Amino acid sequence: MRGRPLLYTAYGQDMALLNTPGKRWWTLVLALAAITLPFMLEDDLLVVLATAFVAAIGAIGLNLVTGYAGQVSLGHAFFLAIGAYTAAALSGDPDSTRLIGFGITSLPIWLLAAGLVAGLAGLIVAPLAARLRGLYLAVVTLGLVFIGEHLFKHWRELTGGVGVGRPAAVPELFGLQFAVDGAFFTKAQKLYLLMFVLLVIFGVLARNLVRSRIGRALAAVRDRDLAAEVIGVDVTRYKMVAFAVSSFYAGVAGALLYVMIGFVEPGSFNLALSVQYIAMILVGGVATISGSVLGALFITLLPRVTRELPAVLPFVSSSSTAGGITVFQVEAILYGLLIIGFLIFEPRGLFGIWIRIRTYWKSWPFSH
Amino acid sequence: MNDLVATVVRGLGNGSIYALLALGFVIVYKSMRVISFAQPAFMMAGGVLVSHLVLQMNFFLAVVLALLLTGLLGVGVERVALRPMIGKPVFVIAIITLGVDVVIRTVVNSFIGVDIRQMGDPWGLKQLKVGSVTIDQRHLATLVTTLVVVAALFAFYRWSRTGLAMRAASSDQEVAQAQGVSVGGVFSLSWALAAMLAGLAGVFLSTGIGLEQNLWLTALKALPVIILGGLDSLGGAVVAGLSIGVVEALVGNYGGSVSPVFGGDFFLVVPYLLMLLVLLVRPYGLFGTREVERI
């Protein structure tokens, strides 16, 4: 069947994860490129990239509930926080008199626990969320962020308190320490590879979830929940599933995000963080897994790019004391304009741009 | 007892600020079915314009001019960012307003700077003694102004031709259009009104205490207010705004002694907790219209 890439002779071929030779080859090329990168790039860039991979896990989570299931959530920061604190508390120093700690530094244990506790929190919120629609839900999830922020600022035994914070979880796997420089790999290289592997695992899991029966049910709920109910989809149940799975991903991402920073501060889980994740899925592409990854890379790398601006544009300054506009202002404005611009001109996000390019080459030389 | 009265008046003063903001949210929601997350930006814009204009002119003149400019800004935003999105899902439009908010607020913040800006208002921190109760003049000024504005707004909706057109557009856009109502004009007007109400709230919020960058968070308290009152009820917005203001002031004053575990600033999250409680019982708020779903 060479030369006829879209000819399927069995149902399984059509449903395959990588159903065209193009997808198979490019996935391989991308994976190889991603694995060779840590040996070519500077450490500080690797840290940014690793952070972007973690953000991508969180963005996939938000995309599951907002993109696939259509349940607008502005409360992602709350679930990130739960994950971050569960992990930090589990792996924290058990002898500390100031902070809660259990001394379990094994990565799989605290990572799963972070996901599960956040997922449980999602399940608790879900029954309330399932009763609400659209913007009522958006405001309620926004309320969660504020209530959570208050709680985290005051629960000092868990969070260390405002301005003090606590160390993040210790990433350790079978005695291998990720957050310290080793004999062969630097800290940045190890963390990069760890986050890459985790992103691939969680990405493939999410991809499998959304192309299964559950994914189709979620899409039905998103498109018209009443119609979904009529054709036999248990709407309340699937809304709860969406919230739980999304929160699980958020918890995992929250735990890992602060491993990269090394430090958890209770004030950082605010509305701005939630909006950042919304921006990721909108810029990347709503209801696509690869779009979530693209968007997370884009938004996380944005500050890194704007920091180079003062060298190119003389009216942009790098500190707030000098005149002109600062890089932080440029960044904030860019960020807002990107959200507006993408939604008006390319609602399918970066993924949509990729689809356009692909369609162009597929149909070349005919434009339609 | 005197303490209680003073607290309630302070709550009513803050509550009227919430009510002004909430009215803006409700007006936009009634016309476009969208929550405009850009309200905090308009609130800050109104405040910062007044704080710059008072250096040149009388406070009241500055307020009027600043509100007109804020209204213009609202119309501009609606034209540029919202008009192309007609017919798109409301969630997408709401997120666009989030983007608008970030952009405008960054620009406005650069005019505020790191210091607190004074508003040059005639009240400042002056106090009034009624019997044995001391009341801040600015709270009274806010309350009275809000009541006047609300009365004017209700009269406008009830009796003017344009108000009728706005009510028609909010009940059914297509039918209104067929009857000769310019739905686009209604959108513009509702954004102008919302921006002006937010601007006014910003002015009153920062009189006395001054304007600083973090004040925008106060505007988000109008969100539990509109949920509590119901997204499409003007009366609900006023009632809920005033009651949340009073509850917040009462908890702020007496809550600390009752339960110190919640922290001294527990009153900050009271609006959100109240919102959750009400939604458990009534998913469309106290006065909101229950949506009837058909396939």
Side-chain angles (χ1 to χ4, degrees), chain A residues 251-323:
Chain A
V252 167
L256 294 173
L257 202 57
Y258 290 88
V259 166
M260 295 305 306
I261 303 168
F263 188 74
V264 200
E265 213 278 326
S268 57
F269 302 99
N270 51 21
L271 175 62
L273 190 66
S274 282
V275 174
Q276 211 171 357
Y277 276 86
I278 293 271
M280 282 177 202
I281 65 168
L282 291 176
V283 168
V286 176
T288 58
I289 299 297
S290 34
S292 320
V293 180
L294 284 178
L297 279 170
F298 192 91
I299 294 288
T300 319
L301 291 175
L302 189 65
R304 181 63 210 229
V305 176
T306 49
R307 209 169 302 154
E308 306 291 332
L309 276 180
V312 193
L313 302 169
F315 59 87
V316 179
S317 64
S318 51
S319 76
S320 53
T321 48

Side-chain angles (χ1 to χ4, degrees), chain A residues 66 72 128 131 135-136 139-140 142-143 146-147 150 154 224 226 230 271 278 282 329 332 337 340 343-344, chain B residues 35 81 91-92 95-96 100 102 106 110 220 223 227 231 262 265 269 272 276 279-280 283-284 293-295:
Chain A
T66 298
V72 185
L128 177 64
R131 276 163 59 87
L135 293 168
Y136 277 95
V139 177
V140 169
L142 183 72
F146 281 95
I147 295 168
H150 182 83
H154 287 279
R224 195 92 167 94
L226 209 65
V230 171
L271 175 62
I278 293 271
L282 291 176
Q329 286 168 336
L337 288 180
I340 302 170
L343 284 178
I344 294 180
Chain B
I35 292 183
F91 163 61
V92 177
I95 299 299
I96 285 197
V100 169
V102 172
T106 313
S110 67
L220 294 177
L223 287 170
I227 296 289
L231 277 176
F262 295 126
D265 52 357
V269 288
Y272 296 100
L276 284 181
L279 283 181
L280 279 175
Y284 293 97
E293 286 274 332
R294 293 193 191 88
I295 296 186

